[in-house]
Amino acid sequence: MQWETVIGLEVHVQLATRSKIFSGASTAFGAEPNTQACAVDLGLPGVLPVLNEAAVAMAVQFGLGIHAEIPEVSVFDRKNYFYPDLPKGYQTSQMYQPIVGPGEVEITLEDGSTKRIRVHHAHLEEDAGKSLHEDFHGMTGIDLNRAGTPLLEIVSEPDMRSAKEAAAYLKAIHSIVTYLGISDGNMAEGSMRCDVNVSVRPAGQEAFGTRAEIKNVNSFRFVERAIAFEVERQIELIEDGGEVVQETRLYDPEADETRSMRTKEEANDYRYFPCPDLLPVVLDQAYVDHLRDNLPELPAEKRARFEGELGLSAYDAGVLSASRAMAEYFEAVKEVCGDAKLAANWVQGELSGALNREGLAIDDSPVSAAQLGELVARVKDETINGKAAKQVFQALWHHEGDSADAIIEAKGLKQVTDTGAIEAMIDQVIADSPAQVAQYRDAEPDKRGKMIGYFVGQVMKASRGTANPQQVNALLKEKLDALC
Amino acid sequence: MALEHADVLRAAHLARLGLDESEAAHYLDDLGRILEMVDQLQGLDTEGVAPLAHPLDATQRLRADEVTETDQRDTFQRCAPAVENGLYLVPRVVE
Amino acid sequence: MHDKTLTELAAGLAAGEFSSRELTQSLLARIERLDGSLNSFITVTGEQALAAADAADAARARGEAGPLTGLPLALKDIFCTRGVKTSCGSRMLDTFTAPYDASVVERLAAAGAVSLGKTNMDEFAMGSSNENSFYGPVKNPWDLAAVPGGSSGGSAAAVAAGLVPAAMGTDTGGSIRQPAAFCGITGLKPTYGRVSRYGMIAYASSLDQAGPMARSAADCAQLLGAIAGHDLRDSTSVARGVPDYSEGLDAPLSGLKIGLPREYFGDGLSPEVEGAVREAIRVYESLGATVREVSLPHTHYAIPAYYVIAPAEASSNLSRFDGVRFGHRCEAPADLIDLYKRSRAEGFGEEVKRRILIGTHTLSEGFFDAYYKQAQKVRRLIRQDFLDAFEEVDVLMGPASPTPAFDLGANKDPVSMYLQDIYTIAVNLAGIPGISVPAGFAGGRPVGLQILGTHFAEAQLLNVAHQFQQATDWHLRRPALAEETA
């Protein structure tokens, strides 16, 4: 039987506010345990929450970024359950009236095609603390620094049909939130976490199958692998006559499998009700309009502009707009050199290759956009040839000079375009290569084109790579043909 | 809406209140009578009435995103039953 | 000194008749002598009080005294006080020392008031008799066999007994007004949001409100002025100017339109209480007010609605008491669930558990719409009853409680205890202000007249109450305490 996979994602994004969603404690990552948990975060008796404006603004920006409805009124509810990392015994969240209504996210698949994934809603809530299980005499230690960090939970419709689509969706969300600057998107530090709902159904069937929820899948790669495993498991189960149970599962990256979390003795009953310590959040139109007017260009628009205005290929436009850092770098290079296609080639080619080799992010590139821009400009105005340009890039990468011009100067890489100088080098090479000249002369005229490569190489070598290759080519041809 | 013994035990579990059987029986009686009193609400027609969560029709004020709190861990942990290395300790949590 | 009002004591301090230290010492000594039988205090903070009194005297010497500088008072043990045990009447917090001050506490301290300590209360403010305290019941100074009312019973008894001239209480369903009535003092519940709830341990967040309890409306006006106002730390506190509540106290009442809610004079009202209240209303008529009957048709739904909303909020508010970060923790928990269940079972008393169970049940799946949502809709109808009535009249009057203080142990059944609050509870659901003023006696126990106004009408309520106290002397009556009669 043919099976179809149905996937929905709940993505939790930590918002990049300075302070917590309901308190004035810092959200900085990595502090000593409980040093950033104030009375409100600890749920001490009598303290009260006050909502952070930046968290609201960031949620609305996200909503605008996915063309979602922004309801005028949203309400915070309490989700009640006991857990040691949940200090108040409830999580303040939004159950019934979320801050962001239905919207959609465009994803780009590997073949360059796009697909729209509907977002059901996004709501604000507070993060929980962390339980540390290393041995405290058989006890668990609780660190509440993270408690109260603002989270935006983005809930998709079950619109994805493959692990690749799910990963592409997650990347698109990552790209939107980092473009907007509302999250650092750092998955390793837990700034973005993901729960995946997976079910399978016979191809052509309309009704959804029973779904399993895979909790806390925290990298793009794991999302793909967890789904791949889970889909296999469900299909095998059904084909063997079994049934998928609606349950929560955990992905274990070490074993590369999902497994059932210990079933609780009874289903949860979160007893949601409106938080009486917080009032309805009312967003006036002027506020929303102001945020809309100040929205940065988002990846989808950028991709379209790169393709349309700058004339890049669909592939290049997609890659260069995928992350805000990449796009900004590329645009800065383009600004300096004045040639979008050359800039795209260099950023995607030499630079990305070097970054990948060293495992560096673009933000950590040893070569700045301004430096690379100048280098590309020198290629464009033919001050240096391509080969020399690569040398200059290596020198910049290893901090052998501050700028392309300085390196060109110091290394004497300036392209030689003086015809007299090139002719002298050609004459020397011809004089030193009687055998090759003889071969050339004896060859059929249509084979000679290939044979000229040897002479070009020798001349370039003699010029230490600085001669203009086109000039060398033309002059050589002239001189050799004169000998025939 | 009649209350049953199991409802009391379920509520006690959700609320993490330890009750033994005889306490549960005692509360069943009390809660049953309280709910009977509360059930008067069911007789009132509230069609078209919006729920009222707060007595004033006020809206949420927003706080500027500023870090105003400093580390008071030592003070806060002075009233904690069990701490070690700055962490609150609880019996081992099995995931 | 112990039977003077705050206003009189302020005059004495200003005239140099006595210092704040002398006043404080004298009252601390009185507490020491008399509170053994009353049990109105959980914690007496003598040392801190004397230090604060000295600071007040020094401020006065520098010419920096305000109207409350050096005046002693007490705080219900629901208000967090930095460095002082804050128990909320519960074993759960028997070992809890608050690391911060409640806004109310901060504002009173800033105004120079001197706190003598923390008063007894029904555990987590759940009760109408002060019999639900981990620290034992409080006795009514008028009759030690009677309850002082609740939940602010300690505050009411301490003021009535002359241990302090004033105290702070909180009112979620009548917890200021009913004990004020039972103890023969004046108690004001302000409009919801008028006074910050920051640092006040929450019972039912959408109903809780702090207010003053004192010997006169004029004293309450002074205190309300000090504690009212917007607080950035409480989202539900209202950003609205605070008037000078003392300014309009003397305004004449001619033309005042008083409404008597028909539903507040029905079955279950003690004839003696009704007699005293009707007599008080005649006093108002003699002061130029007109009286008419009005209706609050949803009154009988107030207690059912309250016993859905308040326990639901409480069940959630009290989840933070889990034995992890503060408060009672059971011995040697076997595992996490045992830690929670035993700590909470041991830490909470019976009434608190009862309300947590009710609230948990009514919020749970399948019941939410029928109970909680329906109660919130009824809440709107109840508020509308009041708003409609205030279209017709300026204030509403009636009894604060259907009976005078009942005997300790008389109300064993929780439901019959809840029904005692029939005249006070709707006010919290509507969020309007109310004041109880002494208006006579029934069987030797005080009777309270309750006066209600529309949202933010505190100044008017205080004026109406003050004019009554200019025309009568019920508020000047003092109980004969055993020690003094001996």
Side-chain angles (χ1 to χ4, degrees), chain C residues 116-397:
Chain C
L116 302 192
K118 311 289 293 291
T119 56
N120 204 341
M121 57 183 286
D122 281 305
E123 184 180 4
F124 286 102
M126 298 179 192
S128 312
S129 69
N130 219 121
E131 292 167 294
N132 299 333
S133 169
F134 174 62
Y135 301 93
V138 178
K139 309 288 171 55
N140 190 318
W142 291 91
D143 184 342
L144 297 183
V147 301
S151 66
S152 309
S155 288
V159 173
L163 307 184
V164 277
M168 286 298 140
T170 63
D171 190 317
T172 305
S175 286
I176 287 176
R177 292 159 290 153
Q178 184 253 24
F182 279 14
C183 291
I185 64 165
T186 306
L188 171 71
K189 181 207 97 78
T191 305
Y192 180 81
R194 179 72 291 189
V195 177
S196 169
R197 295 186 296 113
Y198 185 86
M200 192 176 112
I201 298 175
Y203 158 24
S205 312
S206 77
L207 302 162
D208 295 342
Q209 184 60 199
M213 304 173 81
R215 298 205 175 107
S216 70
D219 285 3
C220 286
Q222 201 61 255
L223 291 166
L224 179 61
I227 61 172
H230 190 214
D231 180 4
L232 296 175
R233 295 172 298 183
D234 175 4
S235 300
T236 61
S237 91
V238 176
R240 183 180 170 120
V242 179
D244 180 346
Y245 292 109
S246 304
E247 205 174 60
L249 290 175
D250 292 324
L253 298 187
S254 54
L256 179 77
K257 287 184 276 183
I258 298 172
L260 304 185
R262 187 180 305 141
E263 294 79 6
Y264 285 23
F265 292 88
D267 287 350
L269 176 59
S270 129
E272 278 182 288
V273 170
E274 177 168 1
V277 168
R278 298 255 183 222
E279 182 52 39
I281 287 156
R282 273 192 285 280
V283 171
Y284 276 106
E285 286 179 306
S286 75
L287 294 174
T290 59
V291 176
R292 70 207 289 191
E293 194 180 81
V294 296
S295 177
L296 301 170
H298 296 96
T299 297
H300 292 289
Y301 294 105
I303 291 182
Y306 177 90
Y307 278 97
V308 172
I309 292 168
E313 292 183 9
S315 70
S316 176
N317 284 335
L318 269 59
S319 292
R320 68 187 60 198
F321 303 101
D322 60 3
V324 175
R325 298 163 319 286
F326 53 84
H328 178 73
R329 180 180 203 146
C330 66
E331 286 292 328
D335 54 24
L336 185 63
I337 200 100
D338 184 44
L339 165 71
Y340 286 148
K341 288 193 170 179
R342 272 202 293 135
S343 298
R344 289 166 61 78
E346 294 166 6
F348 292 138
E350 187 174 331
E351 181 61 24
V352 172
K353 288 185 206 173
R354 197 177 285 128
R355 294 196 195 185
I356 289 176
L357 289 171
I358 278 287
T360 304
H361 177 71
T362 54
L363 283 179
S364 57
E365 220 174 303
F367 298 105
F368 178 79
D369 283 358
Y371 287 124
Y372 192 80
K373 231 178 183 167
Q374 174 72 352
Q376 283 197 322
K377 291 177 178 179
V378 173
R379 185 174 187 178
R380 184 175 294 278
L381 296 175
I382 287 168
R383 184 180 70 163
Q384 198 55 46
D385 281 357
F386 284 107
L387 297 181
D388 291 346
F390 289 123
E391 293 285 312
E392 294 179 43
V393 297
D394 299 317
V395 293
L396 296 171
M397 288 190 190

Side-chain angles (χ1 to χ4, degrees), chain B residues 1-94:
Chain B
M1 283 173 267
L3 189 76
E4 288 169 18
H5 192 73
D7 295 325
V8 177
L9 293 179
R10 184 171 185 282
H13 178 68
L14 283 172
R16 300 296 185 267
L17 279 177
L19 289 190
D20 61 31
E21 285 293 320
S22 76
E23 287 171 306
H26 165 71
Y27 280 114
L28 174 63
D29 184 45
D30 280 358
L31 303 189
R33 277 175 306 122
I34 295 167
L35 286 178
E36 204 176 297
M37 184 265 286
V38 159
D39 276 342
Q40 291 173 56
L41 293 176
Q42 311 309 327
L44 190 61
D45 182 8
T46 54
E47 181 75 34
V49 179
L52 181 70
H54 288 94
L56 303 173
D57 297 303
T59 59
Q60 181 64 35
R61 191 184 52 76
L62 303 177
R63 175 177 65 78
D65 180 24
E66 285 160 9
V67 176
T68 53
E69 300 298 319
T70 51
D71 172 23
Q72 294 190 67
R73 184 175 77 182
D74 293 347
T75 310
F76 292 150
Q77 293 195 338
R78 238 167 264 147
C79 54
V83 288
E84 191 175 312
N85 298 334
L87 296 160
Y88 295 95
L89 294 190
V90 297
R92 196 162 191 79
V93 177
V94 188

